[in-house]
Amino acid sequence: MVSSVSDPTRTPVVGLTTYLERAKQGVWDVRASFLPQQYFDAVTGSGATAVLLPPQPRPEQAAATVLDGLDGLILTGGLDVQPELYGVERHPLTDPARADRDEWEIALLAGARERGIPVFGICRGLQLINVAMGGTLHQHLPEALGTERYRIGGGVFAENTVEVDAETRLAGLVGAGPLTVHSYHHQGVDRVAEGLRVTARTDDGLVQAVETVGDDYLVAVQWHPEENAEDRRLFLGLVAAAAAHRASRAEAEPAVPASSAPAPTSSAHQGVPA
């Protein structure tokens, strides 16, 4: 992907991770990059350009290439992270492994953090971040907490109230105190990874949001903010951080001397009018 960070008119480019899923259209029945429209609507509606990022072969190499053209990264929701990645036995109700996506997102996350690219994790994205950084998960919250409040099923999002801690990056985006959110998950954070700070919980103690300790921008929430079209504060925060990151990269780019620019080709040699 060709970088054009020096172009001041370009909107920030934000990548969103996806699955490769079976899809039907007319006579075609193929695997395709899949992500609900709410995600990229939230990105484009917040002033950025959305780019879909399906799993790639050789994820580390592909991530390095893709990240050169991104200003921000969103790790989206989806199926369960493989428990083998955090060293526990698979629960019977844990989703079948999707190693291609896990490996791809871990490579993207590592590369983004190395480059200082802002990262936003949503639901599974929070869980992936916690696991990639050394934390663990509860594989089935109804057993761990004795409640079905976070996934009522049938494609219907549950509403829960989280308490956002003051003096956090998250509070700077959505305010401190109680916040009603859309939930759809049966797993959650158990041991929090070193380097992550918990910034919101529900009244049963379940981690609902984390961010990194330091200046780099990494915010992750257990809920689904893309489902609330009236409140895009979390997406606006990511897009603002992406724009700032792009600007800092543009300032760091060495100026290209005029003498190094390729000489124009004379149109007389091309057989076209001057």
Side-chain angles (χ1 to χ4, degrees), residues 157-241:
F157 286 85
E159 288 194 355
N160 284 284
T161 300
V162 306
E163 187 74 20
V164 178
D165 292 347
E167 299 182 2
T168 62
R169 183 174 284 119
L170 179 64
L173 296 173
V174 300
L179 177 69
T180 300
V181 302
H182 292 79
S183 306
Y184 204 99
H185 60 96
H186 81 116
Q187 298 198 340
V189 170
D190 182 7
R191 187 181 74 247
V192 180
E194 185 176 351
L196 292 177
R197 173 188 183 184
V198 177
T199 58
R201 294 182 187 267
T202 32
D203 56 9
D204 55 12
L206 183 65
V207 173
Q208 290 289 335
V210 297
E211 60 190 45
T212 42
V213 179
D215 294 332
D216 59 321
Y217 190 101
L218 187 154
V219 172
V221 299
Q222 183 60 79
W223 63 89
H224 283 270
E226 77 283 358
E227 290 300 318
N228 188 352
E230 297 178 356
D231 185 359
R232 288 182 171 158
R233 289 174 291 179
L234 289 167
F235 290 95
L236 288 167
L238 184 277
V239 171

Coordinates of all heavy atoms in Angstrom, one line a residue, residues 157-241:
F157 N -29.2 -7.1 21.1 CA -28.2 -6.6 22.0 C -28.9 -6.3 23.4 O -29.9 -5.6 23.5 CB -27.6 -5.3 21.4 CG -26.6 -5.6 20.3 CD1 -27.1 -5.7 19.0 CD2 -25.3 -5.8 20.5 CE1 -26.2 -6.0 18.0 CE2 -24.4 -6.0 19.5 CZ -24.9 -6.2 18.2
A158 N -28.2 -6.7 24.4 CA -28.6 -6.4 25.8 C -28.1 -5.0 26.1 O -27.1 -4.5 25.6 CB -28.0 -7.4 26.8
E159 N -28.8 -4.4 27.0 CA -28.4 -3.1 27.6 C -27.8 -3.3 29.0 O -28.5 -3.9 29.8 CB -29.5 -2.0 27.5 CG -29.8 -1.5 26.1 CD -30.7 -0.3 26.1 OE1 -31.1 0.1 27.2 OE2 -31.0 0.2 25.0
N160 N -26.6 -2.8 29.2 CA -26.0 -2.8 30.5 C -25.5 -1.4 30.9 O -25.2 -0.6 30.0 CB -24.9 -3.9 30.6 CG -25.5 -5.3 30.6 OD1 -25.9 -5.7 31.7 ND2 -25.4 -6.0 29.5
T161 N -25.3 -1.2 32.2 CA -24.7 0.1 32.6 C -23.3 -0.2 33.1 O -23.1 -1.0 34.0 CB -25.6 0.7 33.7 OG1 -26.9 1.0 33.3 CG2 -24.9 2.0 34.2
V162 N -22.4 0.5 32.5 CA -21.0 0.4 33.0 C -20.6 1.7 33.7 O -21.2 2.8 33.5 CB -20.0 0.2 31.8 CG1 -20.4 -1.0 31.0 CG2 -19.9 1.4 30.9
E163 N -19.6 1.6 34.6 CA -19.1 2.7 35.4 C -17.8 3.1 34.8 O -16.8 2.3 35.0 CB -19.1 2.4 36.9 CG -18.8 3.6 37.8 CD -19.9 4.6 37.9 OE1 -21.1 4.2 37.7 OE2 -19.7 5.7 38.3
V164 N -17.7 4.3 34.2 CA -16.4 4.7 33.6 C -15.6 5.5 34.7 O -16.1 6.4 35.3 CB -16.7 5.6 32.4 CG1 -15.4 6.1 31.8 CG2 -17.5 4.9 31.4
D165 N -14.3 5.1 34.8 CA -13.5 5.7 35.8 C -13.1 7.1 35.4 O -12.8 7.4 34.2 CB -12.2 4.9 36.0 CG -12.5 3.6 36.7 OD1 -13.6 3.4 37.3 OD2 -11.6 2.7 36.7
A166 N -13.0 8.0 36.3 CA -12.6 9.4 36.0 C -11.1 9.4 35.7 O -10.3 8.5 36.0 CB -12.9 10.3 37.2
E167 N -10.6 10.5 35.1 CA -9.2 10.7 34.8 C -8.6 9.6 34.0 O -7.5 9.1 34.2 CB -8.4 10.9 36.1 CG -8.9 12.2 36.9 CD -8.0 12.4 38.1 OE1 -7.1 11.7 38.4 OE2 -8.4 13.3 38.8
T168 N -9.4 9.1 33.0 CA -8.9 8.1 32.0 C -9.2 8.7 30.6 O -9.9 9.6 30.4 CB -9.7 6.8 32.2 OG1 -11.1 7.0 31.9 CG2 -9.5 6.2 33.6
R169 N -8.5 8.1 29.7 CA -8.7 8.5 28.3 C -10.2 8.2 27.9 O -10.8 9.0 27.2 CB -7.8 7.8 27.3 CG -7.9 8.2 25.9 CD -6.9 7.5 25.0 NE -5.6 8.2 25.1 CZ -4.5 7.6 25.6 NH1 -4.5 6.3 25.9 NH2 -3.3 8.2 25.6
L170 N -10.7 7.1 28.4 CA -12.1 6.8 28.1 C -13.0 7.8 28.6 O -14.0 8.3 27.9 CB -12.4 5.4 28.7 CG -13.9 4.9 28.5 CD1 -14.2 4.7 27.0 CD2 -14.1 3.6 29.2
A171 N -12.8 8.3 29.9 CA -13.6 9.3 30.4 C -13.5 10.6 29.7 O -14.5 11.4 29.5 CB -13.2 9.6 31.9
G172 N -12.4 10.9 29.1 CA -12.2 12.1 28.3 C -13.1 12.0 27.0 O -13.4 13.1 26.4
L173 N -13.4 10.8 26.6 CA -14.3 10.6 25.4 C -15.7 10.6 25.7 O -16.6 11.2 24.9 CB -13.8 9.4 24.6 CG -12.4 9.3 24.1 CD1 -12.1 7.9 23.6 CD2 -12.2 10.4 23.0
V174 N -16.1 9.8 26.7 CA -17.6 9.6 27.0 C -18.0 10.1 28.3 O -19.2 10.1 28.6 CB -17.9 8.1 26.9 CG1 -17.6 7.6 25.5 CG2 -17.2 7.3 28.0
G175 N -17.1 10.7 29.1 CA -17.4 11.2 30.4 C -17.3 10.1 31.5 O -17.4 8.9 31.2
A176 N -17.0 10.5 32.7 CA -16.9 9.6 33.9 C -18.3 9.3 34.4 O -19.3 10.1 34.2 CB -16.0 10.2 34.9
G177 N -18.4 8.1 35.1 CA -19.7 7.8 35.7 C -20.4 6.7 34.9 O -19.9 6.1 34.0
P178 N -21.7 6.6 35.1 CA -22.5 5.5 34.5 C -22.8 5.8 33.0 O -23.0 6.9 32.6 CB -23.9 5.5 35.3 CG -23.9 6.9 35.9 CD -22.5 7.3 36.1
L179 N -22.7 4.7 32.2 CA -23.0 4.8 30.8 C -23.7 3.6 30.3 O -23.3 2.4 30.6 CB -21.6 4.9 30.0 CG -21.7 4.9 28.5 CD1 -22.3 6.2 28.0 CD2 -20.3 4.7 27.9
T180 N -24.8 3.7 29.6 CA -25.6 2.6 29.1 C -25.0 2.1 27.8 O -24.8 2.9 26.9 CB -27.1 3.0 28.9 OG1 -27.6 3.4 30.2 CG2 -27.9 1.8 28.4
V181 N -24.7 0.8 27.7 CA -24.0 0.3 26.5 C -24.8 -0.9 26.0 O -25.7 -1.5 26.6 CB -22.6 -0.1 26.9 CG1 -21.8 1.1 27.4 CG2 -22.6 -1.3 27.9
H182 N -24.4 -1.3 24.7 CA -25.0 -2.5 24.0 C -24.0 -3.6 24.2 O -22.9 -3.6 23.7 CB -25.3 -2.2 22.6 CG -26.3 -1.2 22.3 ND1 -26.2 0.2 22.5 CD2 -27.6 -1.3 21.9 CE1 -27.3 0.8 22.2 NE2 -28.2 -0.1 21.9
S183 N -24.5 -4.7 24.7 CA -23.7 -5.9 25.0 C -24.1 -7.1 24.2 O -25.3 -7.3 24.0 CB -23.7 -6.3 26.5 OG -23.4 -5.2 27.3
Y184 N -23.2 -7.9 23.7 CA -23.5 -9.2 23.1 C -22.2 -10.1 23.1 O -21.4 -10.1 22.2 CB -23.9 -9.0 21.6 CG -24.8 -10.2 21.1 CD1 -26.2 -10.1 21.1 CD2 -24.2 -11.4 20.7 CE1 -27.0 -11.1 20.7 CE2 -25.0 -12.4 20.3 CZ -26.4 -12.3 20.3 OH -27.2 -13.4 19.9
H185 N -22.0 -10.7 24.3 CA -20.8 -11.5 24.4 C -21.0 -12.5 25.6 O -21.8 -12.2 26.5 CB -19.6 -10.7 24.7 CG -19.7 -9.8 26.0 ND1 -19.1 -10.2 27.2 CD2 -20.3 -8.6 26.2 CE1 -19.4 -9.3 28.1 NE2 -20.1 -8.3 27.5
H186 N -20.4 -13.7 25.5 CA -20.5 -14.6 26.6 C -19.1 -14.9 27.2 O -19.0 -15.7 28.2 CB -21.1 -16.0 26.1 CG -20.1 -16.9 25.4 ND1 -19.8 -18.1 25.9 CD2 -19.4 -16.7 24.3 CE1 -18.9 -18.7 25.1 NE2 -18.7 -17.9 24.1
Q187 N -18.1 -14.2 26.7 CA -16.7 -14.3 27.3 C -16.4 -12.9 27.8 O -17.0 -11.9 27.5 CB -15.7 -14.8 26.3 CG -16.0 -16.2 25.9 CD -14.8 -16.9 25.2 OE1 -13.8 -16.2 24.8 NE2 -14.8 -18.2 25.2
G188 N -15.3 -12.8 28.7 CA -14.9 -11.6 29.2 C -13.5 -11.7 29.8 O -12.9 -12.8 30.0
V189 N -12.9 -10.5 30.2 CA -11.6 -10.5 30.7 C -11.5 -11.2 32.1 O -12.4 -10.9 33.0 CB -11.0 -9.1 30.8 CG1 -9.7 -9.0 31.6 CG2 -10.9 -8.5 29.4
D190 N -10.6 -12.1 32.3 CA -10.3 -12.7 33.6 C -9.1 -11.9 34.2 O -9.2 -10.9 34.9 CB -10.1 -14.2 33.5 CG -9.8 -14.8 34.8 OD1 -9.9 -14.2 35.9 OD2 -9.5 -16.0 34.8
R191 N -7.9 -12.4 33.9 CA -6.7 -11.7 34.3 C -6.3 -10.6 33.3 O -6.2 -10.9 32.1 CB -5.5 -12.7 34.5 CG -4.2 -12.0 35.1 CD -3.1 -13.0 35.2 NE -2.4 -13.2 33.9 CZ -2.5 -14.4 33.3 NH1 -3.1 -15.4 33.8 NH2 -1.9 -14.6 32.1
V192 N -6.1 -9.4 33.8 CA -5.8 -8.3 33.0 C -4.3 -8.3 32.6 O -3.5 -8.5 33.5 CB -6.2 -6.9 33.7 CG1 -5.8 -5.8 32.8 CG2 -7.6 -6.9 34.0
A193 N -4.0 -8.1 31.4 CA -2.6 -8.1 30.9 C -1.8 -7.0 31.5 O -2.4 -5.9 31.7 CB -2.5 -8.0 29.4
E194 N -0.6 -7.2 31.8 CA 0.3 -6.1 32.2 C 0.4 -5.1 31.2 O 0.5 -5.4 30.0 CB 1.7 -6.7 32.5 CG 2.7 -5.7 33.1 CD 4.0 -6.4 33.5 OE1 4.1 -7.6 33.4 OE2 5.0 -5.6 33.8
G195 N 0.4 -3.8 31.6 CA 0.4 -2.7 30.6 C -0.9 -2.2 30.3 O -1.0 -1.2 29.6
L196 N -2.0 -2.9 30.7 CA -3.3 -2.4 30.5 C -4.0 -1.9 31.8 O -3.8 -2.5 32.8 CB -4.2 -3.5 29.9 CG -3.9 -4.0 28.5 CD1 -4.8 -5.1 28.1 CD2 -4.0 -2.8 27.5
R197 N -4.7 -0.8 31.7 CA -5.4 -0.2 32.8 C -6.9 -0.4 32.6 O -7.4 -0.1 31.6 CB -5.1 1.3 32.9 CG -5.9 2.0 34.0 CD -5.6 3.5 33.8 NE -6.3 4.3 34.9 CZ -6.4 5.6 35.0 NH1 -5.7 6.3 34.1 NH2 -7.0 6.2 35.9
V198 N -7.6 -0.9 33.6 CA -9.0 -1.1 33.5 C -9.7 0.3 33.7 O -9.3 1.0 34.7 CB -9.6 -2.1 34.6 CG1 -11.1 -2.1 34.6 CG2 -9.0 -3.4 34.4
T199 N -10.6 0.7 32.8 CA -11.2 2.0 32.9 C -12.7 2.0 33.1 O -13.3 3.0 33.2 CB -10.8 2.8 31.6 OG1 -11.3 2.0 30.5 CG2 -9.3 3.0 31.5
A200 N -13.3 0.8 33.0 CA -14.7 0.7 33.2 C -15.1 -0.7 33.7 O -14.5 -1.7 33.2 CB -15.6 1.1 32.0
R201 N -16.1 -0.8 34.5 CA -16.6 -2.2 35.0 C -18.1 -2.1 35.1 O -18.7 -1.0 35.2 CB -16.0 -2.6 36.3 CG -14.5 -2.8 36.3 CD -14.1 -3.3 37.7 NE -12.6 -3.4 37.8 CZ -11.9 -4.5 37.6 NH1 -12.6 -5.7 37.3 NH2 -10.6 -4.6 37.8
T202 N -18.7 -3.2 35.1 CA -20.1 -3.3 35.5 C -20.2 -3.6 37.0 O -19.2 -3.9 37.6 CB -20.9 -4.4 34.7 OG1 -20.0 -5.5 34.4 CG2 -21.4 -3.9 33.4
D203 N -21.4 -3.6 37.6 CA -21.5 -3.7 39.0 C -21.2 -5.1 39.5 O -21.1 -5.3 40.7 CB -22.9 -3.3 39.5 CG -24.1 -4.1 38.8 OD1 -23.8 -5.1 38.1 OD2 -25.2 -3.7 38.9
D204 N -21.0 -6.1 38.6 CA -20.6 -7.4 39.1 C -19.1 -7.6 39.0 O -18.5 -8.6 39.2 CB -21.2 -8.5 38.2 CG -21.0 -8.3 36.7 OD1 -20.2 -7.5 36.3 OD2 -21.7 -9.0 35.9
G205 N -18.4 -6.5 38.7 CA -16.9 -6.5 38.6 C -16.3 -6.8 37.3 O -15.1 -6.7 37.2
L206 N -17.1 -7.2 36.3 CA -16.5 -7.6 35.0 C -15.9 -6.4 34.3 O -16.5 -5.3 34.2 CB -17.6 -8.1 34.1 CG -17.1 -8.6 32.7 CD1 -16.2 -9.8 32.9 CD2 -18.3 -9.0 31.8
V207 N -14.7 -6.6 33.8 CA -14.0 -5.5 33.0 C -14.8 -5.2 31.8 O -15.1 -6.1 31.0 CB -12.6 -6.0 32.7 CG1 -11.9 -5.0 31.7 CG2 -11.7 -6.3 33.9
Q208 N -15.0 -3.9 31.6 CA -15.8 -3.5 30.4 C -14.9 -2.5 29.5 O -15.4 -2.3 28.4 CB -17.0 -2.7 30.9 CG -18.1 -3.6 31.5 CD -18.7 -4.5 30.5 OE1 -18.8 -4.2 29.3 NE2 -19.2 -5.7 31.0
A209 N -13.8 -2.1 30.0 CA -13.0 -1.3 29.1 C -11.5 -1.2 29.7 O -11.3 -1.4 30.9 CB -13.5 0.2 29.0
V210 N -10.6 -1.1 28.7 CA -9.2 -1.0 29.1 C -8.5 0.0 28.2 O -9.0 0.4 27.1 CB -8.4 -2.3 29.0 CG1 -9.0 -3.4 30.0 CG2 -8.4 -2.9 27.6
E211 N -7.4 0.5 28.7 CA -6.5 1.3 27.8 C -5.1 1.1 28.2 O -4.8 0.6 29.3 CB -6.9 2.8 27.9 CG -6.8 3.4 29.3 CD -7.4 4.8 29.4 OE1 -8.6 5.0 28.8 OE2 -6.8 5.7 30.0
T212 N -4.1 1.5 27.4 CA -2.8 1.4 27.7 C -2.3 2.4 28.7 O -2.9 3.5 28.8 CB -1.9 1.4 26.5 OG1 -2.3 2.5 25.7 CG2 -1.9 0.1 25.7
V213 N -1.3 2.1 29.5 CA -0.7 3.0 30.5 C 0.5 3.7 29.7 O 1.5 3.1 29.4 CB -0.2 2.3 31.7 CG1 0.5 3.2 32.7 CG2 -1.3 1.5 32.4
G214 N 0.3 4.9 29.4 CA 1.3 5.6 28.6 C 0.7 6.6 27.6 O -0.5 6.8 27.6
D215 N 1.5 7.1 26.7 CA 1.1 8.1 25.8 C 0.5 7.4 24.5 O -0.2 8.1 23.8 CB 2.2 9.0 25.4 CG 2.7 9.8 26.5 OD1 1.9 10.1 27.4 OD2 3.9 10.2 26.6
D216 N 0.8 6.2 24.2 CA 0.2 5.6 23.0 C -1.3 5.4 23.1 O -1.8 5.2 24.2 CB 0.9 4.3 22.6 CG 0.7 3.2 23.7 OD1 0.8 3.6 24.9 OD2 0.5 2.1 23.4
Y217 N -2.0 5.5 22.0 CA -3.5 5.5 22.0 C -3.9 4.1 21.7 O -3.9 3.5 20.6 CB -4.0 6.4 20.9 CG -5.5 6.6 21.0 CD1 -6.1 7.8 21.6 CD2 -6.4 5.6 20.5 CE1 -7.4 7.9 21.7 CE2 -7.8 5.8 20.6 CZ -8.3 7.0 21.2 OH -9.6 7.1 21.3
L218 N -4.4 3.4 22.8 CA -5.0 2.1 22.7 C -6.2 2.1 23.7 O -6.0 2.2 24.9 CB -4.1 1.0 23.0 CG -4.6 -0.5 22.7 CD1 -3.5 -1.5 22.4 CD2 -5.5 -1.0 23.9
V219 N -7.4 2.1 23.1 CA -8.6 2.1 23.9 C -9.4 0.9 23.4 O -9.5 0.6 22.2 CB -9.4 3.4 23.7 CG1 -10.8 3.3 24.4 CG2 -8.7 4.6 24.2
A220 N -10.0 0.1 24.4 CA -10.8 -1.0 24.0 C -12.0 -1.2 25.0 O -11.9 -0.9 26.2 CB -10.0 -2.3 24.0
V221 N -13.1 -1.5 24.4 CA -14.4 -1.6 25.2 C -15.0 -3.0 24.9 O -14.9 -3.5 23.8 CB -15.4 -0.5 24.9 CG1 -14.7 0.9 25.2 CG2 -15.8 -0.5 23.4
Q222 N -15.7 -3.5 25.9 CA -16.3 -4.8 25.8 C -17.7 -4.7 25.1 O -18.2 -5.7 24.6 CB -16.5 -5.5 27.2 CG -17.1 -6.8 27.2 CD -16.2 -7.8 26.4 OE1 -15.2 -8.3 26.9 NE2 -16.6 -8.2 25.2
W223 N -18.2 -3.5 25.0 CA -19.5 -3.4 24.4 C -19.4 -3.0 22.9 O -18.3 -3.0 22.3 CB -20.3 -2.3 25.1 CG -19.8 -0.9 25.2 CD1 -20.0 0.1 24.3 CD2 -18.9 -0.3 26.2 NE1 -19.4 1.2 24.6 CE2 -18.7 1.0 25.8 CE3 -18.3 -0.8 27.3 CZ2 -17.9 1.9 26.5 CZ3 -17.5 0.1 28.1 CH2 -17.3 1.4 27.7
H224 N -20.6 -2.7 22.3 CA -20.6 -2.5 20.8 C -21.1 -1.0 20.5 O -22.3 -0.8 20.3 CB -21.6 -3.5 20.2 CG -21.0 -4.8 20.0 ND1 -20.3 -5.2 18.9 CD2 -21.0 -5.9 20.9 CE1 -19.9 -6.5 19.0 NE2 -20.3 -6.9 20.2
P225 N -20.2 -0.1 20.5 CA -20.5 1.3 20.3 C -21.0 1.6 18.9 O -21.7 2.6 18.6 CB -19.3 2.1 20.6 CG -18.2 1.1 20.3 CD -18.7 -0.2 20.8
E226 N -20.7 0.7 17.9 CA -21.2 0.9 16.5 C -22.7 0.7 16.4 O -23.3 1.2 15.5 CB -20.5 -0.1 15.6 CG -21.0 -1.5 15.6 CD -20.5 -2.4 16.8 OE1 -19.7 -1.8 17.6 OE2 -20.9 -3.5 16.9
E227 N -23.3 0.1 17.5 CA -24.8 -0.1 17.5 C -25.5 1.1 17.9 O -26.8 1.1 17.8 CB -25.1 -1.3 18.4 CG -24.7 -2.6 17.8 CD -25.3 -3.0 16.5 OE1 -26.5 -2.7 16.3 OE2 -24.6 -3.5 15.6
N228 N -24.8 2.1 18.4 CA -25.5 3.4 18.8 C -25.1 4.5 17.9 O -24.1 5.2 18.0 CB -25.1 3.7 20.3 CG -25.9 4.9 20.8 OD1 -26.6 5.5 20.1 ND2 -25.7 5.2 22.1
A229 N -25.9 4.6 16.8 CA -25.6 5.6 15.8 C -25.7 7.0 16.3 O -25.1 7.9 15.6 CB -26.6 5.4 14.6
E230 N -26.3 7.3 17.4 CA -26.5 8.6 17.9 C -25.3 9.0 18.7 O -25.1 10.2 19.1 CB -27.7 8.7 18.8 CG -29.0 8.5 18.0 CD -30.3 8.6 18.9 OE1 -30.1 8.7 20.1 OE2 -31.4 8.5 18.3
D231 N -24.4 8.1 19.1 CA -23.2 8.4 19.9 C -22.0 7.8 19.3 O -21.7 6.6 19.4 CB -23.4 7.8 21.3 CG -22.3 8.2 22.3 OD1 -21.4 8.9 21.8 OD2 -22.4 7.9 23.4
R232 N -21.2 8.6 18.6 CA -20.0 8.2 17.9 C -18.7 8.7 18.6 O -17.7 8.8 18.0 CB -20.0 8.5 16.5 CG -21.0 7.7 15.7 CD -21.1 8.0 14.2 NE -21.9 7.0 13.5 CZ -22.4 7.2 12.4 NH1 -22.3 8.4 11.7 NH2 -23.2 6.3 11.8
R233 N -18.8 9.0 19.9 CA -17.7 9.6 20.6 C -16.4 8.8 20.6 O -15.3 9.3 20.4 CB -18.1 10.0 22.0 CG -19.1 11.2 22.1 CD -19.5 11.4 23.6 NE -20.4 10.3 24.0 CZ -20.9 10.2 25.2 NH1 -20.6 11.2 26.1 NH2 -21.7 9.2 25.6
L234 N -16.6 7.5 20.7 CA -15.4 6.6 20.7 C -14.8 6.5 19.3 O -13.6 6.5 19.2 CB -15.8 5.2 21.2 CG -16.2 5.1 22.7 CD1 -16.8 3.8 23.0 CD2 -14.9 5.3 23.5
F235 N -15.6 6.5 18.3 CA -15.0 6.6 16.9 C -14.4 7.9 16.6 O -13.4 8.0 16.0 CB -16.1 6.2 15.9 CG -16.6 4.8 16.0 CD1 -17.7 4.4 16.7 CD2 -15.9 3.8 15.3 CE1 -18.1 3.1 16.8 CE2 -16.3 2.4 15.4 CZ -17.4 2.1 16.2
L236 N -15.1 9.0 17.1 CA -14.5 10.3 16.9 C -13.1 10.4 17.6 O -12.2 11.0 17.0 CB -15.4 11.4 17.4 CG -16.7 11.6 16.5 CD1 -17.7 12.4 17.3 CD2 -16.3 12.3 15.2
G237 N -13.0 9.8 18.7 CA -11.7 9.8 19.4 C -10.6 9.1 18.7 O -9.5 9.6 18.6
L238 N -11.0 7.9 18.1 CA -10.0 7.2 17.3 C -9.6 7.9 16.1 O -8.4 8.0 15.7 CB -10.6 5.8 17.0 CG -9.8 4.8 16.2 CD1 -9.7 5.0 14.7 CD2 -8.4 4.7 16.8
V239 N -10.6 8.5 15.4 CA -10.3 9.3 14.2 C -9.4 10.5 14.5 O -8.5 10.8 13.7 CB -11.6 9.7 13.5 CG1 -11.3 10.6 12.3 CG2 -12.3 8.4 12.9
A240 N -9.7 11.2 15.6 CA -8.9 12.3 15.9 C -7.4 11.9 16.2 O -6.5 12.6 15.8 CB -9.5 13.0 17.2
A241 N -7.3 10.8 16.9 CA -5.9 10.3 17.2 C -5.2 9.8 15.9 O -4.0 10.0 15.8 CB -6.0 9.1 18.2

